[in-house]
Amino acid sequence: MSLLSLTGVTAHYGASQALFGVDLTVAEGEVVALMGRNGMGKSTTVKTICRMMPARGGLTFDGHDLSRLPSHRVARLGIGLVPEGRRCFADLTVTENLLAAARPGTWTLPGIAALFPRLGERHGQRAASLSGGEQQMLAIGRALMTNPRLLILDEATEGLAPIIRQEIWDALQRLRADGGLSILVIDKSLKELRRFADRVVILERGRAVWSGATDALTDAVSERFIGV
């Protein structure tokens, strides 16, 4: 049984339809990459899962119907979101940002500091004073502090310096190696996703046009649906 399941999901921005019957599943402990060119519906799909916008169709998490739940109740079911653009609480310190989202479980302040040592070194600094890469680490740490069963990463390495991107990918690989956490990741780094994800779903114009194991993602498929 899938932990997360979307069946025939549609969504609109006003009169403009953005999703056209999207099907998507994430199993317990599975890492799924959601890919596609810009504007194809990836972030919209995330918004429907997290109930940040209305949608129609089947939308379940661990057997719970998400379609009628507000976003805060969806989060409490065990979905942790690392949103596009980081969105840290600028006036709060690193520690305060992490504690603001904390729920009981395996992930604690020492665990986040072990995963991202930079955050441990800057625990008393305001989020606004951090670099962009450090803010991204903080956004990931904040999501983990909710002790989710499903972690959603929306462009978590976008616009970062190569050395910082590698630090984040290394941390994500450690999360994967620990097992147990399901992950839905949106990213443009095909090289990293080939090593990280079990399965890929590609969206084009609000529709899922390809789905399969990561090692089945050929150069021809990539060029057709992902390449510029």
Side-chain angles (χ1 to χ4, degrees), residues 35-51:
M35 303 191 72
R37 297 183 179 93
N38 290 340
M40 294 300 172
K42 303 184 298 297
S43 291
T44 300
T45 300
V46 169
K47 290 177 182 177
T48 65
I49 294 169
C50 296
R51 307 308 300 137

Side-chain angles (χ1 to χ4, degrees), residues 200-218:
V200 174
V201 176
I202 300 176
L203 297 186
E204 186 173 61
R205 297 179 183 177
R207 294 178 171 86
V209 294
W210 191 89
S211 177
T214 306
D215 58 10
L217 181 61
T218 64

Side-chain angles (χ1 to χ4, degrees), residues 49-114:
I49 294 169
C50 296
R51 307 308 300 137
M52 295 176 178
M53 66 179 295
R56 294 184 177 180
L59 187 58
T60 62
F61 178 77
D62 193 27
H64 297 274
D65 182 1
L66 301 182
S67 62
R68 299 180 182 275
L69 297 180
S71 58
H72 70 276
R73 289 190 58 192
V74 170
R76 288 175 184 171
L77 288 176
I79 297 179
L81 173 64
V82 181
E84 186 177 17
R86 307 176 191 110
R87 303 181 192 176
C88 300
F89 299 114
D91 291 332
L92 299 184
T93 67
V94 167
T95 295
E96 289 168 343
N97 266 273
L98 296 173
L99 291 178
R103 299 189 69 213
T106 302
W107 284 101
T108 60
L109 291 176
I112 299 300

Side-chain angles (χ1 to χ4, degrees), residues 66-219:
L66 301 182
S67 62
R68 299 180 182 275
L69 297 180
S71 58
H72 70 276
R73 289 190 58 192
V74 170
R76 288 175 184 171
L77 288 176
I79 297 179
L81 173 64
V82 181
E84 186 177 17
R86 307 176 191 110
R87 303 181 192 176
C88 300
F89 299 114
D91 291 332
L92 299 184
T93 67
V94 167
T95 295
E96 289 168 343
N97 266 273
L98 296 173
L99 291 178
R103 299 189 69 213
T106 302
W107 284 101
T108 60
L109 291 176
I112 299 300
L115 185 67
F116 293 119
R118 288 170 181 259
L119 297 184
E121 296 166 1
R122 292 157 177 74
H123 64 91
Q125 287 185 220
R126 291 171 59 247
S129 72
L130 302 178
S131 69
E134 290 163 352
Q135 289 182 17
Q136 189 63 74
M137 294 174 188
L138 180 56
I140 295 171
R142 182 181 58 191
L144 290 172
M145 285 290 285
T146 69
N147 280 284
R149 296 178 64 191
L150 171 66
L151 180 66
I152 301 178
L153 300 141
D154 192 354
E155 301 286 8
T157 66
E158 179 74 11
L160 301 180
I163 190 170
I164 300 298
R165 283 205 306 269
Q166 192 57 56
E167 282 189 44
I168 289 176
W169 279 116
D170 289 346
L172 295 178
Q173 288 287 3
R174 291 198 294 274
L175 289 179
R176 174 186 169 81
D178 287 344
L181 181 64
S182 300
I183 301 175
L184 177 64
V185 56
I186 298 173
D187 203 277
K188 295 183 178 66
S189 180
L190 185 56
K191 176 184 175 182
E192 295 295 345
L193 289 175
R194 286 187 188 278
R195 296 193 302 120
F196 184 61
D198 299 305
R199 198 160 49 83
V200 174
V201 176
I202 300 176
L203 297 186
E204 186 173 61
R205 297 179 183 177
R207 294 178 171 86
V209 294
W210 191 89
S211 177
T214 306
D215 58 10
L217 181 61
T218 64
D219 290 341

